[in-house]
Amino acid sequence: MQSANAGAVLTHAQWTTLDWRPPVGWWPDAARDLLTGLSDPVDLASATYVLSPRPDSIQRSRAFAAGTLAGWGLSELRENVELVVSELATNALRHGLRLADRRPHASVRLSLIRRGHMVACAIADPGSAAPVLRHPGPLEPGGLGLHIVQSLSERWGWAPLAPYGKIVWAVIAA
């Protein structure tokens, strides 16, 4: 779905997890320097998918990402974007939805934002805890998701949403 609020200038404090859809041209503040050298106007596009709190949502989010990239002519990013989307979506559903019991309309939204040859994968969830790059022991199952995100992306980070929630994002380049 294309973002309907093109050109809108919003700060993170104005968004909530219920309404966050990036305006066309949105880019994570901490990754703006990656846009240096891109001519204006560059290819701008965004697409958003709402994940349901079900196990098959991870596969569906991967399929959404693959289809979106194919439509944008960026199929060479497919494998890396699918892995990043899987890791970020898994974390959002596993950790970010813990607040859903108190917030019955809480949701997780995956947005893909294209700027030229780069794609930002952004996941908004109702959790307020910052993502942590863990160093699990050799016998611990899991815990390496953000390491995978870090290794496949040019940069990754997160930003809080108001009155609750956060966006976790990663930028992947061709």
Side-chain angles (χ1 to χ4, degrees), residues 32-153:
R32 289 221 171 262
D33 63 309
L34 297 175
L35 300 176
T36 303
L38 290 180
S39 60
D40 236 0
V42 297
D43 292 325
L44 302 174
S46 66
T48 298
Y49 177 74
V50 178
L51 283 74
S52 61
R54 299 168 17 147
D56 66 342
S57 286
I58 304 305
Q59 174 57 32
R60 290 174 186 248
S61 64
R62 288 173 63 105
F64 168 79
T68 301
L69 292 171
W72 291 343
L74 293 173
S75 292
E76 68 272 15
L77 295 179
R78 179 179 171 203
E79 287 182 27
N80 288 350
V81 169
E82 281 185 327
L83 282 170
V84 167
V85 163
S86 290
E87 296 302 332
L88 295 181
T90 298
N91 285 349
L93 292 172
R94 181 175 291 153
H95 305 293
L97 279 183
R98 287 185 182 167
L99 295 176
D101 295 339
R102 289 176 274 171
R103 295 185 176 105
H105 299 292
S107 63
V108 172
R109 294 176 188 268
L110 162 64
S111 293
L112 300 176
I113 304 100
R114 177 184 183 175
R115 296 290 299 259
H117 66 282
M118 291 181 284
V119 173
C121 302
I123 298 271
D125 72 54
S128 57
V132 176
L133 193 63
R134 293 183 43 219
H135 299 284
L139 300 178
E140 286 184 67
L144 294 174
L146 289 177
H147 289 278
I148 293 169
V149 170
Q150 183 177 41
S151 70
L152 296 175
S153 63

